[in-house]
Amino acid sequence: MYTGTIITDLMAAVDRAQRRVLENRIAEDRELHEMFDMRIPVTEGDGLLLGAA
């Protein structure tokens, strides 16, 4: 039997989907920041690898 809540149910489903997308985006951003923080700084070396390909 139709209870008249289909629009409310659809809006709730959209809200849940948007929240999930936002949470995933935040998690991915954190992961990217962690990867960039792991970069090894390039320093002036003693030239051992100079010209190495």
Side-chain angles (χ1 to χ4, degrees):
M1 177 176 212
Y2 178 66
T3 60
T5 62
I6 191 165
I7 293 176
T8 304
D9 294 342
L10 286 173
M11 289 173 55
V14 169
D15 287 341
R16 287 192 303 270
Q18 287 177 333
R19 199 170 326 128
R20 193 174 312 124
V21 167
L22 181 60
E23 290 170 359
N24 288 341
R25 186 175 297 154
I26 290 170
E28 289 172 356
D29 285 347
R30 282 188 195 139
E31 185 178 350
L32 284 174
H33 283 289
E34 289 173 7
M35 281 191 258
F36 284 121
D37 286 343
M38 290 190 300
R39 289 181 293 177
I40 299 172
V42 177
T43 59
E44 296 297 321
D46 55 6
L48 284 175
L49 300 177
L50 189 61

